Amino acid sequence: MTFRLRLAALVLLASTVHPPSTRAQDSKPGVTEGLWEAKRRFGPDVRGQLMITRAADGWRADVAGVQAPVRVSGDTVSLELPNHGGALIAYLSKDRSTISGHWIQPAIVSSGSEYASPITLKRDGSGRWTGNVVPLDDTMTMYLLIRKRPDGTLGAFLRNPERNLGRQLRVDRIESASNEVRMMGKWNGNGPERALGSGVLNDDGFSLFLPGRGGTFDFRKVSDREYSDFYPRGRPSGSYTYTPPPQTGDGWETGTLAGADLNQDTLSNFMLAMVNLPMDSLKSQQLHAVLIARHGKLVLEEYFHGEDRGHAHDTRSAAKSITSTLAGAAIHARRGVTLASPVYAVMNGGRFPDTIEPRKRRITLEHLLSMSSGLDCDDGDDKSPGNESAVIDQSDEPDYYRLILRLGTIREPGEKSVYCSINPHLAGGVLKNASGSSLPDLFSELVARPLGLDSYYLPLTPTRDVYMGGGVRLTARAFAKFGQMYLDSGVWKGKRILDASYVAKAGAPKYAMSGIHYGLAWWVTDYQYRGETIQGYFAGGNGGQIVMVIPKLDMVVTIYCANYQDAAGLVPQQQYIPRFIIPAVSAARR
């Protein structure tokens, strides 16, 4: 998702440090070539044990030293911390042994969104329940690789793993005079050269103030002896030894490459190449995770750049396939919706508005999931009134559903598929209205619990609806479960989540789009395997987020990257899978 306008306000709150003064100071160490890094943590500080107590004078909550009243209405338990510190929306079980629901953390600087994450409090005494708040960490990391050029200037580029801000802050060089430091370059690589950040030298390095990007960052030099997550495995080069994934109790059965008829040498050489990927330019591949499951077992699990199996990664638009999954689960559970559900009637309480254009009457949930609604929206057109940025970067209408429903139509529903993120977001509104449940509750009931997902983060809109156009945060193991469930025709560990017919339709190439095909929020592509054309379908997100299902090879590939807004994000789908992973499959047993 793109930055929201409200991110500017968050940055002002988070950036208590103003642009540093450039007045003369004592002499400081200068800027030299090498790797420099800076990291800022913006919170949230509300985390750890949450305790809810019931007393004669009412219910109270205590978390991170903050106390707040708790509202109880029927089985609904809710609270709102002061100063937008966080909120709880949960439900008391019938036997009063648990309070389960979602914790809502404050909007984070890197995305501008609030997030809802699952939480369960257990009764541990008379009138007392305790559980843990585990919010998404709000950090921004900056790396500057500085090299001296033949003319004596200090060439540089900026890398930011959370947002890839180096794509906008297209740094060319670092200038230093007296105690002042300036980061020179062009915004998005266009227009006149200017100072993209400015600051001063300090005792450990230098500080740069980056307007609208979190404030002041203190850069320190990484010595040649130090490990840094700038590199795939902490150092500029390294070795690789294959180790089978561990059994962690998360529902995944694990195995070995050999046991899955995958050539260990081929994949080990691939992983060694990833370990030694050169990090010498802004366009360098930023691979974060590679997982392979075959014959129902997880057989390869590797992480890079400091990522690990416990980190919930941004899936970006790959989460559109999660929206499709939730729709399919609601259809299977008969929660008042089908693919043929008329969008404008469902969003209007069950009947069409009195005045509505004929084409809007014909828009169904299936049209939204297949991006063929005909609404005036196109994420590839900056002038489109319904493109993602136009909807989420405005502040006049906090209810995105209302804004989307007001858009006109420019073609007949089902005529053509045009990529536009507000389609799956509106699909979320249809699911919410048809089921009568909030989207966090619906996701928890129909998808997260059946898949055994105990950690996830759902991005929220200003009205605290889940933004269904992208941005759900999941661990790589958790996201891989979606692919395995689709590969198994809608079943995970004996539990049917989707109808087999829905799975078949979701991964079928119904519309041509972007040079490949699109089904129900799943992309469809072809690969070559030993002279044969085989089909794969995948969840795909900006920057290189992929869950690829290849039915003929009985295989699921999950990849996370951080090449946001860069063509390098297509490398996993277009190169890694066909050139390294598929060729590792043994011809003897497919």
Side-chain angles (χ1 to χ4, degrees):
M1 294 184 294
T2 58
F3 277 108
R4 293 158 169 75
L5 290 177
R6 65 179 183 274
L7 176 57
L10 288 170
V11 170
L12 289 175
L13 290 173
S15 305
T16 56
V17 180
H18 296 288
S21 170
T22 55
R23 68 189 180 200
Q25 302 176 19
D26 295 336
S27 178
K28 306 291 183 185
V31 180
T32 57
E33 61 180 339
L35 176 63
W36 296 76
E37 68 177 24
K39 178 175 284 192
R40 284 199 63 183
R41 179 183 177 275
F42 300 101
D45 292 327
V46 175
R47 60 181 63 224
Q49 187 184 72
L50 167 63
M51 179 183 296
I52 292 179
T53 56
R54 182 187 62 198
D57 59 347
W59 297 58
R60 301 284 299 175
D62 189 313
V63 57
V66 180
Q67 293 187 344
V70 174
R71 296 180 295 277
V72 179
S73 177
D75 63 352
T76 302
V77 179
S78 61
L79 68 92
E80 194 91 30
L81 294 184
N83 302 319
H84 306 287
L88 174 73
I89 302 176
Y91 306 94
L92 190 62
S93 63
K94 289 183 179 180
D95 63 2
R96 301 205 161 204
S97 63
T98 62
I99 298 174
S100 298
H102 290 85
W103 178 259
I104 299 174
Q105 71 180 80
I108 67 174
V109 169
S110 63
S111 72
S113 295
E114 292 182 314
Y115 286 85
S117 56
I119 184 171
T120 297
L121 295 84
K122 297 182 179 180
R123 186 169 59 194
D124 65 356
S126 178
R128 185 176 66 187
W129 294 259
T130 58
N132 284 316
V133 173
V134 185
L136 187 67
D137 282 329
D138 188 7
T139 60
M140 288 286 272
T141 310
M142 305 288 176
Y143 296 104
L144 276 170
L145 186 61
I146 301 176
R147 292 172 173 165
K148 182 173 286 188
R149 295 168 172 165
D151 63 1
T153 60
L154 295 175
F157 67 87
L158 178 74
R159 172 156 298 139
N160 160 242
E162 291 87 3
R163 299 292 307 187
N164 200 19
L165 292 177
R167 290 284 298 166
Q168 287 80 43
L169 303 176
R170 203 69 64 87
V171 179
D172 174 70
R173 68 187 184 279
I174 301 296
E175 293 182 347
S176 178
S178 183
N179 283 311
E180 298 183 22
V181 180
R182 295 198 304 168
M183 189 170 68
M184 304 298 296
K186 297 180 179 181
W187 176 256
N188 276 327
N190 302 314
E193 186 177 73
R194 57 177 170 165
L196 300 172
S198 60
V200 296
L201 298 173
N202 55 43
D203 291 336
D204 298 320
F206 59 90
S207 299
L208 287 175
F209 179 76
L210 307 181
R213 293 297 179 263
T216 299
F217 287 81
D218 296 324
F219 286 84
R220 68 171 194 84
K221 191 171 184 180
V222 180
S223 75
D224 293 338
R225 297 183 300 275
E226 288 182 90
Y227 279 75
S228 172
D229 291 337
F230 175 80
Y231 301 107
R233 287 285 168 87
R235 300 299 296 271
S237 62
S239 59
Y240 174 78
T241 301
Y242 169 70
T243 302
Q247 201 89 22
T248 65
D250 64 350
W252 271 112
E253 186 178 351
T254 61
T256 65
L257 292 173
D261 299 303
L262 293 168
N263 188 289
Q264 183 171 319
D265 289 340
T266 299
L267 290 172
S268 291
N269 288 335
F270 171 43
M271 288 296 97
L272 180 62
M274 299 299 99
V275 168
N276 292 302
L277 275 173
M279 297 292 109
D280 55 359
S281 78
L282 180 61
K283 291 184 174 293
S284 296
Q285 190 66 37
Q286 298 295 296
L287 186 64
H288 281 179
V290 179
L291 280 68
I292 298 176
R294 188 147 198 254
H295 305 323
K297 294 182 179 180
L298 188 64
V299 295
L300 180 77
E301 181 184 20
E302 298 293 347
Y303 298 93
F304 307 88
H305 294 286
E307 296 289 318
D308 58 63
R309 69 176 54 90
H311 180 249
H313 199 277
D314 193 349
T315 62
R316 302 299 275 262
S317 283
K320 290 177 171 65
S321 302
I322 296 176
T323 301
S324 179
T325 301
L326 182 57
I331 291 169
H332 171 71
R334 299 184 179 181
R335 298 300 295 270
V337 67
T338 71
L339 285 175
S341 292
V343 171
Y344 280 79
V346 174
M347 295 300 291
N348 193 50
R351 59 185 296 272
F352 287 109
D354 293 334
T355 57
I356 182 174
E357 62 179 275
R359 283 194 295 215
K360 285 186 174 181
R361 286 179 173 270
R362 294 190 283 275
I363 299 175
T364 66
L365 176 62
E366 181 172 354
H367 291 134
L368 296 178
L369 294 174
S370 61
M371 304 278 195
S372 63
S373 66
L375 290 171
D376 192 359
C377 64
D378 182 348
D379 283 356
D381 181 0
D382 290 340
K383 296 180 181 179
S384 171
N387 75 46
E388 185 178 38
S389 295
V391 172
I392 68 176
D393 285 349
Q394 56 80 38
S395 56
D396 293 335
E397 175 55 82
D399 189 330
Y400 295 170
Y401 298 142
R402 282 207 295 255
L403 185 60
I404 297 166
L405 291 169
R406 291 200 297 263
L407 291 171
T409 60
I410 56 176
R411 66 181 64 87
E412 185 67 27
E415 177 183 325
K416 180 182 179 181
S417 184
V418 176
Y419 192 84
C420 188
S421 298
I422 61 96
N423 279 301
H425 179 64
L426 183 55
V430 172
L431 299 177
K432 172 186 172 182
N433 281 25
S435 68
S437 297
S438 74
L439 290 175
D441 291 343
L442 200 64
F443 178 76
S444 175
E445 176 193 349
L446 300 183
V447 177
R449 289 206 293 267
L451 282 176
L453 309 182
D454 56 8
S455 176
Y456 55 83
Y457 299 89
L458 305 175
L460 304 180
T461 70
T463 54
R464 285 186 173 169
D465 292 301
V466 178
Y467 181 67
M468 302 301 286
V472 175
R473 309 237 176 171
L474 291 170
T475 67
R477 278 190 172 220
F479 208 10
K481 289 181 179 181
F482 284 80
Q484 187 63 48
M485 184 260 290
Y486 272 79
L487 183 61
D488 291 336
S489 299
V491 175
W492 171 259
K493 297 299 176 185
K495 170 70 174 178
R496 178 161 294 283
I497 300 171
L498 306 176
D499 294 331
S501 59
Y502 186 89
V503 171
K505 194 162 191 171
K510 185 170 184 179
Y511 292 97
M513 187 162 57
S514 301
I516 50 178
H517 288 86
Y518 206 65
L520 297 181
W522 287 82
W523 295 94
V524 188
T525 191
D526 291 333
Y527 290 119
Q528 294 299 308
Y529 174 76
R530 302 184 183 273
E532 177 185 358
T533 298
I534 61 175
Q535 196 171 86
Y537 59 94
F538 65 99
N542 186 337
Q545 325 315 321
I546 286 178
V547 174
M548 176 71 71
V549 182
I550 309 178
K552 286 221 170 175
L553 299 183
D554 196 20
M555 184 163 65
V556 174
V557 179
T558 301
I559 295 175
Y560 280 154
C561 297
N563 292 97
Y564 307 115
Q565 309 299 332
D566 196 306
L570 299 175
V571 167
Q573 166 214 333
Q574 296 178 348
Q575 297 185 33
Y576 291 166
I577 291 175
R579 291 179 56 191
F580 302 106
I581 296 176
I582 289 178
V585 177
S586 169
R589 180 187 170 202
R590 299 191 337 191

